């Protein structure tokens, strides 16, 4: 298999953690690169840091392989740009509030 390096954006609203029998974490997310959507999997110890650092609309550079099921298996990742929330109002739980009138 060939090693592939691609750049794009995470478009998943949430990164799902799939539990495995042997205790190794397996994370799944959707990645958009060159107007194509890829189902990506990341496993091992880097899955923990990936889950903590990456969120929706994060721009990444991924290095990995494509398996027989046409899924991209991530071997390494680099965060190029995190999403900014400048100008948005958040409530105490971290959820964005809708625009409201001030009286």
């Amino acid at each position: 298999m060939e090693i592939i390096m691609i750049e794009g954006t995470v478009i998943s609203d949430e990164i799902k953690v799939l539990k495995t029998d042997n205790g190794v974490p397996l994370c799944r997310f959707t990645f958009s690169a060159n107007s194509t959507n890829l189902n990506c999997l990341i496993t091992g110890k880097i899955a923990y840091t990936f889950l903590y650092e990456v969120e929706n609309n994060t721009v990444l550079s991924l290095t990995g392989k494509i398996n027989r099921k046409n899924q991209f298996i991530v071997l390494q990742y680099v965060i190029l740009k995190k999403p900014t929330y400048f100008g948005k109002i958040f409530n105490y739980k971290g959820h964005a509030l809708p625009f409201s009138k001030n009286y």
Side-chain angles (χ1 to χ4, degrees):
M1 291 196 176
E2 295 182 14
I3 303 290
I4 302 169
M5 185 175 199
I6 56 173
E7 291 184 7
T9 306
V10 175
I11 58 171
S12 295
D13 288 333
E14 64 181 354
I15 298 171
K16 295 180 182 177
V17 178
L18 309 172
K19 298 194 181 214
T20 58
D21 294 335
N22 59 2
V24 177
L26 179 69
C27 295
R28 185 217 168 272
F29 62 98
T30 306
F31 188 73
S32 175
N34 299 330
S35 70
T36 59
N37 293 341
L38 294 170
N39 291 323
C40 297
L41 298 173
I42 187 166
T43 186
K45 290 183 179 181
I46 62 171
Y48 290 121
T49 57
F50 184 84
L51 188 64
Y52 177 74
E53 294 177 337
V54 176
E55 55 189 329
N56 193 16
N57 295 324
T58 303
V59 179
L60 298 174
S61 174
L62 300 178
T63 304
K65 304 175 185 179
I66 294 180
N67 66 4
R68 286 177 274 151
K69 296 181 181 180
N70 206 20
Q71 298 167 324
F72 190 78
I73 309 301
V74 178
L75 300 175
Q76 292 179 343
Y77 71 94
V78 176
I79 297 174
L80 301 177
K81 182 180 174 190
K82 287 195 150 233
T84 59
Y85 298 107
F86 184 73
K88 290 188 177 181
I89 301 173
F90 291 89
N91 65 4
Y92 69 98
K93 293 182 182 177
H95 303 289
L97 294 174
F99 181 75
S100 61
K101 295 181 182 177
N102 294 329
Y103 293 102

